[in-house]
Amino acid sequence: MKKIILSSIILFAASCKDNTSQQNKEPEIMINGNKVTVPENNPVFKKIKTQVVTEQEHSDGVISAGTIQAIPNHYAEIASPFSGRITKSFIQLGQNVSAGSPLFEILSSDYFSVQKDYTDALNDVQLADKNYRRQQDLVKHGVGIQKELDEAETDFKNKKTSLSNASSALKVYNSKGGSIGSPLIVRAPISGEIITNKIVNGQYLKGDADPVMIIAELSKVWISGDVKEKDIRFVHPGDQVSVKVSAYPDRNITGKVYHINEIVDEDTRSIKVLIECDNPDRKLKPGMYATVNFSTTPEKTVMLPVTALMQQDNSQYVWVKTGRSQYTKRSVTTGETDQKTVRIISGLKPGETIMTEGGIYMLDAK
């Protein structure tokens, strides 16, 4: 009899233990395809936070790295037009010059030949002109021959053409000729500052030598930047941009889009954009690196906290609330992102409710 009572007590205790275990067991998160249900009495339920999807004004902005450069027609490299010896320099490094100002003079046998060609052509024209006028006078008084007049006229025209060619050769070197044997004076083609000067009096220069001087007018400069192909739609000629250079981190520099290249770089999938900036104090130096921020027109778009976005392989998704404790996985296409928010291009509509925190607990729903 005692054995029967003891067995009954053991079975009753075991039964009570099983009932208590079942009562304390947490209800599990239920997964069905892309849907997940989180029971309200599951601890995860309290860790989930949600947010209603809304549209808001947003400007993505486009940021590009750039390099400062001189504007080409405000920049001139000066080389010797002939082989010869420099006899005199008229300038110093850092000096401002005007277009046409003398830079240096050079003695050159090649230049002497150009001078002689011009002088000979000038003398020939003068002689041909006298002969032509004489023939005209003879014909006018009835003692001349028309054929000789025609020949004199043709010769005069040919000599004028030769003089024009010789004169053009001098104009290439900004010279009027001068007496044969006089040095060539090389003059500044533009106004600006002498930023490089390698002139040494007495040095001999070859006609194909590297430039010995650089003149630059740097009151305005260009910044050359590369804009990604996908962002070029935001950039337009004349747009105002903000520029930062590491040399002057606290300085606010503005510029405008001067030119957008028509060709896409196939290696980088980017397009070259030129920005023009005022540079009155010459602080922006050619070769400096710059960061260019292209502002874009604000537009209404969906922005979500980055905590709402989940990653699966190469795709991204969010959890959309479809019931009191039910969520459905939804693939989305994203745009620009920062440390806190991400732009949603497609996949969500305003008014839907999404999970902003707690998605990490749903990883088993993959």
Side-chain angles (χ1 to χ4, degrees):
M1 183 66 178
K2 290 181 180 181
K3 290 182 179 180
I4 294 174
I5 294 173
L6 181 60
S7 298
S8 299
I9 293 174
I10 292 173
L11 290 172
F12 178 76
S15 177
C16 290
K17 184 176 180 180
D18 290 341
N19 290 337
T20 301
S21 176
Q22 291 177 0
Q23 289 175 357
N24 293 334
K25 187 176 181 181
E26 299 173 355
E28 295 182 351
I29 297 175
M30 293 175 287
I31 302 170
N32 183 13
N34 286 334
K35 293 183 179 181
V36 60
T37 301
V38 184
E40 295 183 20
N41 53 350
N42 187 293
V44 171
F45 186 84
K46 295 181 179 180
K47 297 179 181 180
I48 292 175
K49 293 184 179 180
T50 61
Q51 175 181 305
V52 177
V53 175
T54 60
E55 286 186 324
Q56 55 186 282
E57 292 287 337
H58 176 72
S59 177
D60 293 324
V62 176
I63 297 177
S64 170
T67 305
I68 296 171
Q69 63 184 45
I71 299 175
N73 58 354
H74 292 182
Y75 181 90
E77 295 182 340
I78 312 300
S80 175
F82 299 108
S83 295
R85 192 171 303 280
I86 294 176
T87 56
K88 190 174 183 179
S89 174
F90 301 99
I91 52 84
Q92 294 179 345
L93 183 66
Q95 180 179 333
N96 288 312
V97 296
S98 301
S101 298
L103 301 175
F104 61 91
E105 64 180 27
I106 182 170
L107 282 173
S108 169
S109 58
D110 294 334
Y111 179 57
F112 297 161
S113 296
V114 174
Q115 286 177 310
K116 184 178 185 304
D117 291 343
Y118 174 76
T119 301
D120 291 345
L122 182 61
N123 291 333
D124 289 344
V125 165
Q126 292 173 347
L127 291 175
D129 182 41
K130 288 181 180 180
N131 183 48
Y132 179 45
R133 291 178 185 276
R134 187 172 66 85
Q135 293 297 331
Q136 284 179 318
D137 187 60
L138 290 174
V139 171
K140 181 180 179 180
H141 290 88
V143 294
I145 301 173
Q146 184 63 41
K147 179 181 178 182
E148 292 181 352
L149 174 61
D150 292 341
E151 290 175 350
E153 181 182 9
T154 300
D155 183 57
F156 176 58
K157 290 180 178 179
N158 290 337
K159 293 297 193 293
K160 284 179 65 177
T161 300
S162 297
L163 177 62
S164 178
N165 293 337
S167 179
S168 296
L170 287 174
K171 288 180 180 178
V172 169
Y173 309 109
N174 199 20
S175 170
K176 295 181 180 179
S179 60
I180 297 177
S182 61
L184 168 66
I185 297 178
V186 178
R187 299 179 181 274
I190 63 170
S191 298
E193 179 183 340
I194 306 296
I195 63 173
T196 298
N197 181 19
K198 300 178 182 178
I199 293 292
V200 177
N201 287 339
Q203 74 181 117
Y204 184 84
L205 299 177
K206 293 183 178 180
D208 58 353
D210 294 334
V212 293
M213 187 181 304
I214 295 177
I215 303 173
E217 206 295 287
L218 299 175
S219 61
K220 290 181 181 292
V221 293
W222 279 352
I223 299 176
S224 176
D226 295 316
V227 175
K228 291 297 183 182
E229 180 182 3
K230 66 182 182 64
D231 295 326
I232 198 64
R233 68 184 188 277
F234 299 118
V235 181
H236 310 90
D239 282 354
Q240 294 293 316
V241 301
S242 61
V243 179
K244 288 289 186 182
V245 293
S246 57
Y248 312 105
D250 299 326
R251 182 173 180 176
N252 294 320
I253 303 170
T254 59
K256 65 178 180 179
V257 176
Y258 177 81
H259 177 72
I260 301 173
N261 206 337
E262 298 295 335
I263 301 175
V264 177
D265 187 312
E266 295 184 1
D267 294 329
T268 63
R269 305 311 304 174
S270 61
I271 298 168
K272 189 74 68 179
V273 176
L274 293 176
I275 298 95
E276 185 173 280
C277 290
D278 289 329
N279 187 32
D281 54 4
R282 311 301 196 273
K283 294 292 187 182
L284 302 179
K285 310 291 186 184
M288 278 184 172
Y289 289 117
T291 301
V292 183
N293 195 329
F294 300 87
S295 59
T296 60
T297 303
E299 59 182 11
K300 286 188 175 182
T301 187
V302 172
M303 299 295 297
L304 297 182
V306 293
T307 54
L309 195 64
M310 307 299 292
Q311 185 80 28
Q312 181 176 4
D313 298 327
N314 294 325
S315 62
Q316 295 172 309
Y317 66 93
V318 296
W319 290 106
V320 180
K321 189 173 183 179
T322 52
R324 178 176 175 82
S325 58
Q326 188 179 74
Y327 298 87
T328 300
K329 183 189 297 184
R330 176 91 59 82
S331 295
V332 294
T333 303
T334 61
E336 292 70 19
T337 183
D338 55 32
Q339 293 181 348
K340 294 182 178 180
T341 59
V342 58
R343 180 186 179 192
I344 303 299
I345 297 175
S346 64
L348 287 175
K349 296 184 297 183
E352 293 183 303
T353 301
I354 52 98
M355 185 187 301
T356 57
E357 292 185 24
I360 191 172
Y361 300 106
M362 312 296 151
L363 293 179
D364 289 339
K366 291 183 179 181

